[in-house]
């Protein structure tokens, strides 16, 4: 999955440089640090975390900022 993300980022960088424009690219799924949650049996478990990452690239293809939204299905609500 990491190679796919790098490939997408390389493509966006090339487009930004070729067009001379800034790019706002969103919807890139990225693995993150696991979180500790509580399963249905009230036992702690490690839950893999996935981010929906949005990137802003400048006209030179450099990443200027990122926003990582945590998917709601990562949330564990005790008692629910």
């Amino acid at each position: 999955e990491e190679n796919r993300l790098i490939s997408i980022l390389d493509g966006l960088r090339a487009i930004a440089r070729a067009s001379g424009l800034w790019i706002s690219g969103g919807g890139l799924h990225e693995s993150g640090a696991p979180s500790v949650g509580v399963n249905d049996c009230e036992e702690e478990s490690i839950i893999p975390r996935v981010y929906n990452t949005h990137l802003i690239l400048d006209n030179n293809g450099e990443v200027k900022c990122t926003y990582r939204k945590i998917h709601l299905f990562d949330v564990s609500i005790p008692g629910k």
Side-chain angles (χ1 to χ4, degrees), residues 16-34:
R17 285 191 296 265
S19 67
L21 299 172
W22 285 54
I23 293 181
S24 174
L28 304 171
H29 294 127
E30 178 182 27
S31 296

Side-chain angles (χ1 to χ4, degrees), residues 1-76:
E1 178 176 317
E2 185 175 330
N3 289 336
R4 190 172 137 257
L5 184 61
I6 291 170
S7 176
I8 292 169
L9 182 54
D10 287 344
L12 291 174
R13 284 180 165 150
I15 292 168
R17 285 191 296 265
S19 67
L21 299 172
W22 285 54
I23 293 181
S24 174
L28 304 171
H29 294 127
E30 178 182 27
S31 296
S35 62
V36 176
V38 178
N39 63 21
D40 292 339
C41 299
E42 300 296 323
E43 299 169 338
E44 283 191 359
S45 60
I46 302 298
I47 301 168
R49 184 168 285 179
V50 176
Y51 296 101
N52 180 2
T53 302
H54 188 100
L55 304 171
I56 303 292
L57 288 83
D58 69 10
N59 56 329
N60 294 315
E62 298 296 320
V63 176
K64 289 303 188 179
C65 64
T66 59
Y67 173 73
R68 291 182 176 102
K69 177 182 173 183
I70 299 173
H71 288 279
L72 294 179
F73 56 78
D74 286 350
V75 176
S76 176

